[in-house]
Amino acid sequence: MRYREALLSDIPGIQRVRHAVKENILSDPALVTDHDCAEYLTKRGKGWVCLVNGTVVGFSIADLQGHNIWALFVDPDFEKKGVGRKLHALMLDWYFSQTRQTVWLSTDPASRARGFYLAAGWKEAGRYGKGEVKLEMEYSTWQQKQAPGRETPVSGLFSRKQP
């Protein structure tokens, strides 16, 4: 498995993974367009992919402008292999290297994703949208979750703050 920053050329793979998931399924796949992906990857934030033999098997995208996590999805065939944890760490390490603003996300309250995020230190912050649960991660909580002496997956890569 190889992890790297997402490129515009990864969008077809990102879309394939997004539409393959078994939870948090889009009610209308046309709601998330390739243009939307490009906007979040190049203007609003940054994304990462996990590749296996050159194929995207997971991705994460942080929205620095909206201070939220726009996406974190793993191909069902690659679940429970650490892909989500690694993408989550890459994304939050980058996000908190850019700002100390609390970041939020929303997910289905009955999803496994909710348990994943709670185990990673996210805190419930009410409801959002159509019955989803809103979760938040504070900078201080993320720092505490990092073990003393732990080298982050992206140590030293993010010295420049975005405007």
Side-chain angles (χ1 to χ4, degrees):
M1 286 186 230
R2 188 167 77 90
Y3 296 84
R4 65 162 168 75
E5 242 177 69
L7 307 171
L8 292 176
S9 59
D10 293 319
I11 291 174
I14 287 169
Q15 291 283 32
R16 184 194 57 73
V17 170
R18 180 64 185 97
H19 297 290
V21 297
K22 307 278 191 243
E23 292 186 337
N24 289 318
I25 298 168
L26 289 171
S27 59
D28 177 1
L31 290 175
V32 177
T33 66
D34 289 355
H35 176 75
D36 294 332
C37 291
E39 180 85 6
Y40 280 89
L41 291 175
T42 62
K43 295 181 181 163
R44 296 188 59 93
K46 191 175 287 227
W48 292 264
V49 292
C50 175
L51 302 167
V52 172
N53 298 324
T55 300
V56 174
V57 299
F59 71 96
S60 60
I61 302 173
D63 175 8
L64 192 59
Q65 290 180 15
H67 300 288
N68 77 336
I69 300 309
W70 192 61
L72 172 55
F73 292 97
V74 176
D75 183 304
D77 291 338
F78 290 88
E79 290 177 353
K80 301 199 182 284
K81 296 179 191 242
V83 173
R85 278 191 308 276
K86 177 77 170 190
L87 290 167
H88 179 260
L90 287 166
M91 178 175 59
L92 287 184
D93 282 345
W94 175 80
Y95 178 85
F96 286 122
S97 76
Q98 305 299 304
T99 183
R100 295 217 166 126
Q101 176 93 21
T102 297
V103 64
W104 68 275
L105 61 82
S106 66
T107 193
D108 182 325
S111 69
R112 289 178 300 131
R114 178 180 168 269
F116 170 88
Y117 290 117
L118 291 174
W122 292 75
K123 304 289 184 230
E124 289 197 15
R127 295 286 182 206
Y128 180 82
K130 298 177 180 177
E132 291 189 330
V133 63
K134 182 177 182 181
L135 302 169
E136 293 180 340
M137 173 67 76
E138 295 179 353
Y139 172 80
S140 60
T141 303
W142 181 244
Q143 292 304 304
Q144 291 170 6
K145 292 295 282 185
Q146 308 313 303
R150 170 189 172 261
E151 183 177 330
T152 62
V154 291
S155 293
L157 294 179
F158 308 127
S159 58
R160 182 179 69 83
K161 295 220 182 252
Q162 284 194 346

